[in-house]
Structures are given as C-alpha cells and as structure tokens.
Amino acid sequence: GAAELISTGIDGIVTQTAWDSSEIASILMVLRDDPAQRARVGEAARKRIEHFTWDRTAEQTLAVYQTLQQENK
C-alpha cells in the first residue's frame, strides 16, 4: 500500500490508525506550526512520486508483456 512508499517525517507521515481523528489532528497541527518541516516533507514527497506516472506504469507493464511474449515463443 501507500504506507510502504512513505518514510515518516521524510516524505510524508503515516498514521498508526487510519481513522484516528485525534492522531490526524495532532499531525496536522505539527505541520501547521512548523512551516519548514511542512515545506521539507512536501518537497520530498513531490520528488518521491515523480517517477510514479501513468506513462511510466504503462511502459513498465508493456515491458513485462513483451518479456512474457518473448519467453513464450
């Protein structure tokens, strides 16, 4: 899942419980009160996801299909 892609405090923040509104509120308050951390995490997150595009996904899927096609000839 997405949590496996995130390094907490580096390029995002993963909660312990997805539906714990108190935990989410606490995290949002930390980010609200620390503009430098908010900017750092946001920039790192943008850089982290740059290679997760639909074009790249399509290229990788096509490469797998082509490899399987070559193996089955």
Side-chain angles (χ1 to χ4, degrees), residues 6 9 21 24-25 32 38-39 43 45 49 55 60 68 71:
I6 298 169
S21 59
I24 294 168
R32 177 198 66 195
R38 186 173 62 238
E43 181 61 27
I49 65 163
D55 288 340
Q60 291 174 334
L68 291 172
E71 290 175 358

Side-chain angles (χ1 to χ4, degrees), residues 3 5-7 16-17 20 28 31-32 34 42 45 49-50 52 56-57 61 63 65 67:
L5 301 173
I6 298 169
S7 298
Q16 295 299 312
T17 306
D20 183 347
L28 290 174
L31 294 174
R32 177 198 66 195
D34 190 345
I49 65 163
E50 283 178 347
F52 294 106
R56 185 174 172 120
T57 300
T61 302
Y65 289 157
T67 299

Side-chain angles (χ1 to χ4, degrees), residues 22-55:
S22 296
E23 183 181 10
I24 294 168
S26 294
I27 292 166
L28 290 174
M29 286 188 288
V30 168
L31 294 174
R32 177 198 66 195
D33 296 339
D34 190 345
Q37 181 183 5
R38 186 173 62 238
R40 234 182 358 263
V41 170
E43 181 61 27
R46 280 186 288 282
K47 286 181 181 176
R48 174 79 172 106
I49 65 163
E50 283 178 347
H51 68 280
F52 294 106
T53 66
W54 285 114
D55 288 340

